[in-house]
């Protein structure tokens, strides 16, 4: 995972974390990866956004592990828009999640598919950072 922090001023600083988890059928590497992501980035004292190809589906052990720390941009246990393959999406493996859960409000989500651009659909999330 790679973290980049914006720093226009202390009040508006946000961390963006991008990752691409292991793609193999066995989820043991992905599980170790998300446990480390949770361990490292749950210590962030600034609001954070996690985005990437997580190579696992909603309700899997890997995604449920992330959801213990991160707030998903979709409604858990509801119909979730698939993101792959882009020519006929059948599964969701691309995500955007937020930390801490109490600091974010999801305004809109949208899956954008273009098979010329990528084999994955884009996943657009409009979120509001709630300042105290």
């Amino acid at each position: 995972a790679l973290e980049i922090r914006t720093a226009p001023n202390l009040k508006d600083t946000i961390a963006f974390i991008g990752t691409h988890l292991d793609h193999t059928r066995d989820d043991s590497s992905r599980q170790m990866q998300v446990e480390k992501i949770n361990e490292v980035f749950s210590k962030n004292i600034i609001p954070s956004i996690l985005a990437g190809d997580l190579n696992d589906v909603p309700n899997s052990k890997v995604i449920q592990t992330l959801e213990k720390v991160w707030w998903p941009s979709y409604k858990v246990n509801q119909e979730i828009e698939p993101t792959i393959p882009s020519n006929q999406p059948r599964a969701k493996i691309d995500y955007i999640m937020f930390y801490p859960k109490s600091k974010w409000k999801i305004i809109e989500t949208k899956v954008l598919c273009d098979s010329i651009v990528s084999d994955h659909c884009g996943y657009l999330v409009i979120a509001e950072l709630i300042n105290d």
Side-chain angles (χ1 to χ4, degrees):
L2 173 69
E3 177 183 35
I4 297 172
R5 293 181 179 205
T6 65
N9 60 57
L10 189 56
K11 180 183 173 196
D12 295 327
T13 300
I14 296 173
F16 293 93
I17 298 116
T19 192
H20 189 166
L21 300 183
D22 182 63
H23 70 282
T24 57
R25 193 169 293 276
D26 177 11
D27 72 353
S28 59
S29 289
R30 283 191 303 281
Q31 186 62 35
M32 288 188 318
Q33 289 173 309
V34 297
E35 287 171 7
K36 185 55 102 173
I37 285 170
N38 282 354
E39 175 190 334
V40 170
F41 297 111
S42 66
K43 295 174 185 164
N44 274 1
I45 60 170
I46 60 171
S48 303
I49 300 171
L50 173 68
D53 177 349
L54 304 184
N55 276 312
D56 223 322
V57 295
N59 298 315
S60 66
K61 180 182 173 188
V62 167
I63 300 304
Q64 288 177 343
T65 299
L66 283 171
E67 289 172 350
K68 291 176 183 176
V69 172
W70 299 86
W71 188 38
S73 53
Y74 51 87
K75 292 188 168 113
V76 178
N77 298 324
Q78 290 190 7
E79 187 174 334
I80 297 171
E81 289 184 277
T83 61
I84 192 168
S86 60
N87 62 343
Q88 247 181 337
R90 292 182 297 280
K92 178 174 184 64
I93 63 171
D94 303 285
Y95 297 82
I96 300 175
M97 297 182 170
F98 300 87
Y99 175 84
K101 296 178 180 187
S102 63
K103 287 282 201 181
W104 298 93
K105 177 182 176 186
I106 305 303
I107 307 297
E108 179 182 352
T109 64
K110 191 175 198 176
V111 173
L112 307 166
C113 298
D114 185 335
S115 60
I116 294 172
V117 173
S118 174
D119 61 329
H120 293 246
C121 298
Y123 185 50
L124 171 70
V125 177
I126 300 172
E128 178 182 350
L129 177 59
I130 301 167
N131 288 314
D132 297 330

